[in-house]
Amino acid sequence: MKVDLNSDLGESFGRYKLGLDEEVMKYITSANVATGWHAGDPLVMRKTVRLAKEKGVAVGAHPGYPDLMGFGRRYMKLTPEEARNYILYQIGALYAFTKAEGLELQHVKPHGALYNALVKEEELARAVIEGIADFDKRLIFVTLSGSRPAEIAEEMGIKVAHEVFADRAYNPDGTLVPRSKPGAVIHDKDEIAERVVSMVKDGGVRAINGEWVELKADTICVHGDNPKAVEIARHIREVLEGEGVKIVPMRELVR
């Protein structure tokens, strides 16, 4: 049994530092690197790619809305043409740094409000996936486990990594509970680890109302901006490996 651990990294900007990238990188197998629109800048991108190379962590692009002030967590209405080209532009930005460092780009994971909007807006999802395909059809598309975007990508011949979230509560329909609601974010490391084991070994997890939600777990997101991110990432990895689960980059899982 295998699973990938991913984290959203490279989200500092200029003189502002966000996240615990250096420490979190020790425990993950795939890094989603911000591409400059919701967070990150050229210096941060290159530093993060170099760090991933040093730690043997696979690199993917983490494109979002052009919303640096709102950290990409505010919804924006995009036309399909805008969405397709915004994604292509941001992938290209990060690719410049992976190429410079001699690394292959592994995947693309949309960020924040864009990630959530894809689940609800099929036209938007299709446009984003087309942007990924424009760049390289071999890239892995990371999206919410069991969602419509996953189906669209598979229909288009794009590889998909079904993602689950270690520290987020789920609705009965498999979507994430909005951060604005109580209980949306889980902080207890033992509860988080227990839920992750359930997702990987049992194929699902209890929703916020107690209902069972079936999930496919190719990759587990561990948020790097959580104050306890390092402790949680380390604990998740230790517990999974203790359960006989091998932690590998998603390219070894998704064919």
Side-chain angles (χ1 to χ4, degrees):
M1 191 171 291
K2 300 178 182 178
V3 74
D4 172 64
L5 291 184
N6 80 73
S7 189
D8 304 342
L9 303 176
E11 293 182 323
S12 298
F13 177 79
R15 63 187 295 176
Y16 299 99
K17 187 176 188 301
L18 180 67
L20 303 164
D21 293 9
E22 293 84 357
E23 293 300 313
V24 171
M25 198 81 81
K26 296 176 182 177
Y27 304 105
I28 62 170
T29 40
S30 294
N32 318 308
V33 181
T35 51
W37 277 21
H38 78 275
D41 63 35
L43 294 177
V44 172
M45 279 193 272
R46 184 148 203 177
K47 179 181 178 181
T48 309
V49 169
R50 280 178 172 168
L51 181 62
K53 181 179 181 180
E54 177 187 323
K55 301 296 183 183
V57 173
V59 173
H62 197 35
Y65 286 129
D67 181 26
L68 195 60
M69 184 71 76
F71 195 64
R73 287 181 175 165
R74 299 182 293 190
Y75 173 77
M76 298 177 71
K77 182 66 176 177
L78 301 181
T79 66
E81 182 180 16
E82 287 173 330
R84 183 171 183 168
N85 289 304
Y86 286 1
I87 292 297
L88 182 60
Y89 178 91
Q90 292 180 79
I91 296 172
L94 186 66
Y95 173 73
F97 295 104
T98 57
K99 183 174 177 59
E101 295 296 331
L103 292 179
E104 286 190 14
L105 197 61
Q106 174 187 250
H107 66 280
V108 178
K109 174 187 169 180
H111 166 80
L114 178 60
Y115 182 102
N116 293 327
L118 301 187
V119 177
K120 300 176 182 178
E121 300 181 27
E122 184 167 325
E123 187 178 46
L124 179 65
R126 192 172 297 279
V128 165
I129 297 163
E130 286 171 348
I132 296 170
D134 286 343
F135 187 85
D136 189 340
K137 289 186 176 181
R138 297 170 298 175
L139 289 172
I140 300 169
F141 172 52
V142 180
T143 190
L144 190 66
S145 178
S147 64
R148 179 59 182 147
E151 297 175 345
I152 294 171
E154 288 167 349
E155 290 166 3
M156 293 171 62
I158 302 297
K159 293 180 287 188
V160 175
H162 291 257
E163 182 177 39
V164 297
F165 288 79
D167 60 354
R168 294 293 303 277
Y170 280 80
N171 291 310
D173 64 355
T175 59
L176 300 177
V177 174
R179 287 176 178 268
S180 58
K181 292 189 176 181
V185 181
I186 301 163
H187 300 285
D188 182 82
K189 68 175 185 178
D190 293 322
E191 182 181 358
I192 291 171
E194 182 181 337
R195 290 169 64 84
V196 166
V197 170
S198 176
M199 293 171 182
V200 175
K201 299 192 76 173
D202 301 329
V205 72
R206 292 291 171 188
I208 197 164
N209 67 350
E211 291 184 31
W212 180 255
V213 181
E214 291 189 1
L215 298 168
K216 180 180 180 182
D218 294 321
T219 184
I220 301 164
C221 179
V222 181
H223 284 112
D225 58 350
N226 185 316
K228 296 183 178 179
V230 178
E231 181 183 357
I232 290 171
R234 179 174 60 243
H235 189 58
I236 288 173
R237 181 153 190 160
E238 288 174 351
V239 170
L240 285 172
E241 289 178 336
E243 292 283 336
V245 179
K246 189 174 181 181
I247 313 300
V248 300
M250 63 183 75
R251 61 181 168 228
E252 294 187 27
L253 291 162
V254 180
R255 302 292 184 182

